[in-house]
Amino acid sequence: VLLEVKDVSSDYVKPVSFTLHKGEVLGFSGLVGAGRTEVMRAIIGADPMRTGEVYLEGKRIVNHSPKEAMENGIVLVPEDRKLQGIISNLSVAGNINISLMKQHSNKLGVISAKKEAKEADDGIKNFRIKTPSPDKKIVELSGGNQQKCIVARGVATHPKVLILDEPTKGIDVGAKSEFYEMICEFAKQGLGVILISSELPEVMGLSDRIIVMKSLKVSGEIMAKDATETKLLSMGMIEEKE
C-alpha cells in the first residue's frame, strides 16, 4: 500500500476511506457532484480536512496546502485547466518550472537558467508537447498540449502519487490516446495514479480498480475487469434503502 486514506472529510465531502497501491491506477467514477474532486482537494490541503488521516508509505502526513502535499509527494492535476492549471501569462517553460523554483535555486535564491532550460526541454520531449519553442506562451498551444505542460510540471516534482482529475476533458482524440499511454507508463514506473473520469470507457480501460462515489461518499468498489458501464452507473445512481 502506497497511500492510505482513512475517513477523510471536509465541508464538501463525507468521510471517505480507500487505499492506493504502488504501480496501480485507481479509478474514481460517479456523477458530477458526487464528491470525487472534493476528496482529493481535502487530501492535498486545498480544502481543510474536518476528519481523517492520510498515510503515505505507512507514515502519517498532514497537508495544509497543495504545496505541502507536493513536497510530501502527492500532486493533483486539476480538472479546470484554464482556471487552476495553466499560468496564462507565462511561457511553456515557465509553466513547467513554476513548481521547481526551490530545487533550481542556490542558497542565495538565485534560479539557475541552465537547470530551468533543461527541465523545460525534458518536459517537452518526454511529454511530446507540440510547441515551436519553450518560450512560446502556453495560451497559444492547443488544449491537449496545455494539459501535457501541467502534467509535465507535476511529474517534474517526482511525486509518489499523481492525481489526475478529468485529464482528457476537452482535448482531441489523438491527444487522448497519448494521455492513455502516459498514464500506463506512470504506473509502470511505480507511481500510484488516481484517475477521476466521467467517461466510463476511459475509467474502465485504464484502471486496475474503480471506486464509485455517490452523494459525497463511497458507494462501492469494483475490480476493473469485473466492471461494466451498467454496473458503474447503478452503483453511482441507485437509490439507497433506508
Side-chain angles (χ1 to χ4, degrees):
V1 173
L2 176 65
L3 179 74
E4 188 174 6
V5 172
K6 290 184 177 178
D7 293 322
V8 164
S9 73
S10 72
D11 288 347
Y12 311 102
V13 70
K14 293 169 185 171
V16 167
S17 301
F18 65 88
T19 55
L20 170 72
H21 298 87
K22 200 173 177 181
E24 179 183 37
V25 179
L26 179 63
F28 268 75
S29 182
L31 301 176
V32 173
R36 298 167 303 169
T37 300
E38 288 73 13
V39 176
M40 304 309 157
R41 284 179 59 84
I43 290 167
I44 65 160
D47 295 329
M49 264 170 53
R50 292 193 71 165
T51 64
E53 297 172 345
V54 178
Y55 293 86
L56 187 64
E57 295 179 320
K59 183 181 158 211
R60 189 179 176 193
I61 58 167
V62 179
N63 299 320
H64 297 101
S65 67
K67 182 175 181 284
E68 199 171 346
M70 186 186 78
E71 287 164 359
N72 282 325
I74 304 176
V75 164
L76 168 70
V77 175
E79 176 185 3
D80 196 323
R81 186 168 58 239
K82 287 190 168 64
L83 281 179
Q84 299 171 318
I86 64 169
I87 298 157
S88 56
N89 59 340
L90 289 186
S91 64
V92 170
N95 270 274
I96 291 173
N97 281 299
I98 195 74
S99 299
L100 298 164
M101 290 165 82
K102 197 173 171 184
Q103 290 91 315
H104 290 165
S105 304
N106 64 15
K107 286 176 184 173
L108 299 172
V110 177
I111 294 168
S112 163
K114 192 176 170 185
K115 283 182 182 173
E116 289 212 323
K118 184 181 185 306
E119 197 70 61
D121 288 340
D122 287 351
I124 290 165
K125 184 173 143 212
N126 296 341
F127 291 89
R128 302 199 283 274
I129 298 166
K130 294 181 181 72
T131 177
S133 145
D135 301 320
K136 182 92 168 162
K137 267 202 159 183
I138 193 166
V139 286
E140 293 171 20
L141 304 189
S142 70
N145 284 298
Q146 289 179 14
Q147 188 75 329
K148 286 180 190 175
C149 289
I150 301 164
V151 177
R153 176 206 302 161
V155 172
T157 66
H158 303 294
K160 291 169 181 165
V161 175
L162 183 64
I163 305 168
L164 300 170
D165 193 353
E166 303 283 5
T168 64
K169 188 178 174 183
I171 64 177
D172 64 47
V173 176
K176 272 188 182 184
S177 66
E178 285 187 310
F179 267 96
Y180 297 159
E181 283 173 35
M182 267 186 232
I183 290 165
C184 296
E185 194 52 46
F186 295 149
K188 277 184 196 157
Q189 290 165 9
L191 260 78
V193 180
I194 293 174
L195 171 68
I196 301 172
S197 177
S198 297
E199 293 191 33
L200 295 179
E202 185 169 286
V203 85
M204 290 190 303
L206 290 167
S207 308
D208 297 296
R209 210 162 33 102
I210 301 166
I211 287 173
V212 182
M213 288 193 69
K214 177 198 155 191
S215 308
L216 309 183
K217 58 182 190 282
V218 172
S219 65
E221 184 182 311
I222 189 168
M223 295 303 292
K225 60 179 171 48
D226 303 323
T228 63
E229 291 196 18
T230 310
K231 279 183 188 173
L232 292 178
L233 281 169
S234 70
M235 286 163 80
M237 297 171 77
I238 199 162
E239 285 307 312
E240 291 172 351
K241 294 185 177 74
E242 287 301 321

